[in-house]
Amino acid sequence: MSIIFRLDRVMADRKVPLNELARRIGLTDSNLSILKTGKARALRVSTLNALCRELGCQPGDLLEYVPGEPQEDFDD
Amino acid sequence: MKYFGTRSLSSFMHGLLTVVWYLAWAFAVLAIVLGTVIVFHEQFGSPFSGGMADSSRADIRDWERFQSLPLGVRILILPYFGAVMTLVLMVLRKARILFSNFRSEVVFDPENVRVIRQISKLVIAMAVLTFSAGSFLTGVILLLICEILAAGTVLQEEHDLTV
């Protein structure tokens, strides 16, 4: 997908462990891991809001658009 | 009523199918042995004689007609019976896998879609072999249910990967 999740980089910058962040935003460790490893298909606005609040960042810090990546959206 | 998980309808069906699975194997082996003796042993006589079975005149007439057929034709009943029993056992085996997954609360899963699709094809094949319109309809309905489950599996995956 063309959208890359940069959650791992932001978490490393803030030195926040995965289980601690998951607890603070009310997600399970496995769900946050799906987001961190880029396997997520969709991201709720409420989750994005909680991540920005807890990590003190902007949505643009967490998401990055990389042109030229293979398209897989809306093809079905 | 609880449909999935332990102590549910699926759990009961899995247990029931396990019993039926072993009974079907025992029946298949017994039927092949007894069937071979009855069909090929000329002196065995009619299975309807001696009060062994409640029989009608039509049954006895059919049996006599069958016995009068040449051996080459009579021998065809064994592969036919073998094919039907193989299909029955395969359906039972697949159904056990399906209910085992339901018992573990695995419902919208690609494996279940694959298993139901295989069951529907087996049921349709059995319907063709036994000339059963009811089984054919059941097979087609199962094939449609399988497609609904496939769509559900995609939605479940979307839901699981939405954070």
Side-chain angles (χ1 to χ4, degrees):
Chain A
M1 197 153 66
S2 302
I3 298 290
I4 309 285
F5 289 98
R6 295 296 185 200
L7 182 63
D8 51 348
R9 201 169 61 187
V10 179
M11 282 170 66
D13 288 347
R14 309 289 195 276
K15 294 184 175 59
V16 182
L18 184 129
N19 55 353
E20 171 64 19
L21 182 62
R23 189 187 60 76
R24 274 160 47 186
I25 63 175
L27 282 182
T28 60
D29 290 4
S30 58
N31 269 351
L32 192 60
S33 179
I34 287 171
L35 198 59
K36 195 181 165 192
T37 51
K39 290 177 187 161
R41 289 263 183 90
L43 177 62
R44 289 192 188 94
V45 175
S46 58
T47 306
L48 189 60
N49 183 60
L51 283 169
C52 290
R53 185 188 67 230
E54 293 300 327
L55 294 169
C57 64
Q58 291 297 314
D61 298 329
L62 296 170
L63 302 168
E64 187 180 339
Y65 175 70
V66 179
E69 290 285 316
Q71 293 283 313
E72 60 177 56
D73 46 350
F74 307 120
D75 55 357
D76 51 355
Chain B
M1 186 195 282
K2 199 177 162 195
Y3 292 99
F4 306 114
T6 51
R7 292 170 179 268
S8 65
L9 181 66
S10 301
S11 179
F12 170 74
M13 284 303 295
H14 181 260
L16 186 69
L17 283 172
T18 304
V19 174
V20 173
W21 163 257
Y22 287 111
L23 286 177
W25 264 109
F27 171 76
V29 171
L30 199 69
I32 285 172
V33 172
L34 284 179
T36 308
V37 171
I38 289 171
V39 171
F40 299 111
H41 197 273
E42 297 292 337
Q43 305 301 317
F44 191 88
S46 167
F48 304 111
S49 61
M52 281 175 70
D54 185 21
S55 56
S56 67
R57 277 182 185 278
D59 289 337
I60 295 167
R61 203 166 46 244
D62 285 347
W63 172 256
E64 283 168 356
R65 204 175 290 157
F66 176 73
Q67 282 291 64
S68 65
L69 290 170
L71 184 67
V73 177
R74 271 187 292 159
I75 208 167
L76 288 175
I77 198 162
L78 282 184
Y80 173 77
F81 178 77
V84 172
M85 274 318 289
T86 304
L87 287 174
V88 169
L89 287 168
M90 284 172 81
V91 167
L92 285 173
R93 187 166 163 269
K94 300 287 174 193
R96 278 178 70 205
I97 295 170
L98 188 68
F99 282 110
S100 173
N101 285 345
F102 287 167
R103 190 180 56 176
S104 308
E105 301 199 15
V106 176
V107 183
F108 290 109
D109 190 79
E111 197 202 345
N112 289 350
V113 175
R114 193 172 50 81
V115 169
I116 294 179
R117 191 171 286 140
Q118 287 169 346
I119 289 174
S120 64
K121 285 175 184 170
L122 289 169
V123 170
I124 289 171
M126 209 154 63
V128 171
L129 265 183
T130 58
F131 305 106
S132 167
S135 296
F136 185 78
L137 190 65
T138 308
V140 172
I141 289 171
L142 271 177
L143 207 58
L144 293 176
I145 289 174
C146 164
E147 291 310 311
I148 294 168
L149 197 73
T153 304
V154 172
L155 291 177
Q156 180 71 53
E157 199 183 335
E158 287 284 330
H159 177 264
D160 291 344
L161 293 176
T162 298
V163 182

